[in-house]
């Protein structure tokens, strides 16, 4: 029986969700998605650290750039969290 489709960490055309449909864990595409999620989470952590240093003495142009990147990181993080939450609903599947 195939697993529930896995929400991918990037949007498809027109910003719509993209899914991986597979009945294998640890396959090449799943590993790529896992690596992408780890990179996105790390980038989000780096952006938050950068914001904490930058924000107190920042000009408006810099704030806009930072806000845009933080928004992207948060969106990616929420997508990962949604995907992982769906997989946690079925703990009996390997």
């Amino acid at each position: 029986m195939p697993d529930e489709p896995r929400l991918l960490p990037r949007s498809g055309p027109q910003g719509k969700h993209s899914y991986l449909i597979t009945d294998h864990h640890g396959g090449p595409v799943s590993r790529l998605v896992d690596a992408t999620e780890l990179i996105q989470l790390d980038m989000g952590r780096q952006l938050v650290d950068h914001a904490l240093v930058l924000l107190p003495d920042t000009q408006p142009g810099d704030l806009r750039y930072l806000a845009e990147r933080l928004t992207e990181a948060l969106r990616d993080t929420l997508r990962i969290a949604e995907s992982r939450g769906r997989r946690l609903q079925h703990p009996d599947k390997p």
Side-chain angles (χ1 to χ4, degrees):
M1 173 183 212
D3 291 337
E4 181 175 332
R6 180 178 180 176
L7 180 64
L8 295 175
R10 291 282 181 206
S11 298
Q14 293 88 35
K16 295 183 179 185
H17 286 8
S18 295
Y19 295 90
L20 172 63
I21 300 172
T22 181
D23 56 0
H24 301 91
H25 289 281
V29 177
S30 290
R31 288 192 309 271
L32 178 62
V33 171
D34 290 340
T36 301
E37 289 175 349
L38 287 174
I39 290 167
Q40 289 174 329
L41 289 171
D42 186 56
M43 287 173 57
R45 280 189 290 272
Q46 289 178 27
L47 284 167
V48 168
D49 291 344
H50 183 63
L52 293 172
V53 171
L54 187 65
L55 286 173
D57 301 312
T58 282
Q59 297 298 315
D62 295 331
L63 279 176
R64 180 181 178 113
Y65 177 80
L66 179 61
E68 290 171 350
R69 300 298 78 76
L70 285 170
T71 300
E72 291 169 1
L74 180 57
R75 183 197 61 224
D76 292 338
T77 301
L78 292 172
R79 186 182 310 275
I80 292 166
E82 182 181 346
S83 175
R84 290 185 179 178
R86 288 180 183 184
R87 287 184 277 151
L88 290 175
Q89 292 175 6
H90 304 285
D92 56 327
K93 295 182 180 179

